[in-house]
Amino acid sequence: MVTEPPSLESRNGVLETTLAFRNVDVDGGQQRFCYVGDKGEEAPTLRLRPGDQLVLHLRNQLSAPAHLLAPQPAMSADMHGHTDADACTAGGMTPLSTNLHFHGLTIPSVCHQDDVLHTSVEPGDTAFDYRFRIPSDEAPGLYWYHPHIHGYSNAQVQGGASGAVVVEGIEQAYAQLAGLPERVFIIRDQPLVHPDAEPVSSGNIPTPIVQRDNEGDILNTGTGTGKPSRDLSINFVPVSYPEYRPAIIAVKPMQRQLWRVMNASAITYVDLQILVGNVPQLFGVVSLDGVPINENGMTAGRILWEDHVLLPPAGRMEFLFKGIPAGARASFITRSVDTGPAGENDPIRQLAMIMALDDAAEPSHHLAVASVRSSSSPRAWLANVKPAHVRTLYFSEHPSNPADPNSPTVFMITVDGQLAKPYDPADPLPNIVAHQGDVEDWIIENRTRELHAFHIHQIHFLMLAWNGVSVDEPFLRDTVNVPYWDGKSTAYPSVRLRMDFRDPDTIGVFPYHCHLLEHEDGGMMGTIRVLLPVHLEPSSTE
Ligand SMILES: [Cu+2]
């Protein structure tokens, strides 16, 4: 049975909690990671309203796994006496360093709020305080928290380190949702539980050959089936290869619910679909990446009825689940995703069986009944704002040793015209300088033969074009899939994004990167410095 993550809710405008960050050894030398709340809540959902304050005391209780107990040069004695102030400037040092990123929230990229470039909490440090206010105009929806130490994000997130943040009030944007029960479903990936198992035979379909890339990941077979690169879980219930025995989501017959679904995978794409007796059932998407679909006023009822939605790693969607009749057999699946010839194998598989039961437990959370129409953003719709700059960035990768195609891959994201090199934490110069108050167009090209997911901290953006073709999307994103290159076309695949730097809190230095965390850890990251608006800058040119 799939159960909801426990919730911690704000009271009188404040949510204060401690999260202990712990790890355990599991079979095969792998590590599992988890956040644990004051009363033992595992990976709790943090629920706040716009304007509420979050005070989160992060305790790093990681310990070295047996195979790492040999002395580590970086874990020297000078770590003793590491203070809170040091944690703001330490930078990531070891696999046991950690910090938190609040993905999607428009909060400042400064220490104790959403800085990830310098903040690093070490095992044995006193609790490190995150303390910030959810902006009063933050869009109501699904956000999340996860560690963001460069070089070690992949291992920690793949080990389970993630949790949801719900900014309450989505029913204010949608009268239709008032009072509905709601569910939170978090999809995570992890190394295969049965890596040596043979696929379960599916009729006379030949079993695809397993090939691996330089990182040891199972390559896309191009067939939609075969051994996956990672196993998936839903709310920590594993759905393991090769049998994919599904967990059960129990619902009352024909009960409508709001489902908040997050792909917290480190590297796995999902393409979510609900099947009722093998026929796709439409679901009503009301929000993507935490922002309701209500911005350009061109979508009737501001609900997008879809029969499947692709979520790259870090993507979220909230949708109206229509319910199923008693006795119906339904399943929540991911369709296969073609990640490109150099991408991982993400085959079709079931995530959960949906069962309509008269005695299904009532979900623990319901949306508020009273619906007040929220005021929309005072700023003009992004599509109608003229960009101050147009920049081109591109994803690229190559073997670290050009003479050895099997050497580990170097991953890069480069501003066109600059020297292509992987992210270097020691480099003090940002790759891009922009101004608060501006809007910019960024064209993100993919010059590799696998998918990448472009993400930028602090802001949302509007996709204007897909492979050079204009699209008219009535929603914003903070993470977007960029299609792969076929290896011969003269034009690289691309997305054109309108980046929104108009929020007054969008100031300072923060990263953009691929959200396939193996790629990010491998160097596919850059930084942007957002300065005060030109007319407010200290004058130095006169
Ligand atoms: Cu990538």
Side-chain angles (χ1 to χ4, degrees), residues 395 451-453 514-516 519 524:
F395 290 115
L451 299 182
H452 299 286
C514 176
H515 222 292
L516 279 67
H519 303 178
M524 211 167 238

Side-chain angles (χ1 to χ4, degrees), residues 1-5 45 47 142-144 162-164 166 181-188 233-237 247-251 257-265 270 272 274 311 315-319 321 332 351-355 363:
M1 198 70 84
V2 178
T3 55
E4 304 286 301
T45 299
R47 292 176 176 271
L142 181 60
Y143 301 80
W144 63 303
S162 56
V166 170
E182 58 158 295
R183 316 288 293 263
V184 173
F185 296 116
I186 304 178
I187 299 162
R188 297 176 174 90
S233 67
I234 177 165
N235 291 357
F236 288 126
V237 180
I248 291 170
I249 296 174
V251 295
Q257 301 185 337
L258 176 74
W259 284 23
R260 307 183 192 264
V261 182
M262 170 161 105
N263 183 7
S265 296
V270 293
L272 299 174
I274 292 171
L311 283 188
R316 290 91 69 210
M317 106 173 125
E318 290 156 278
F319 64 83
F321 167 70
F332 188 35
L351 296 169
M353 193 186 297
I354 306 170
M355 291 183 71

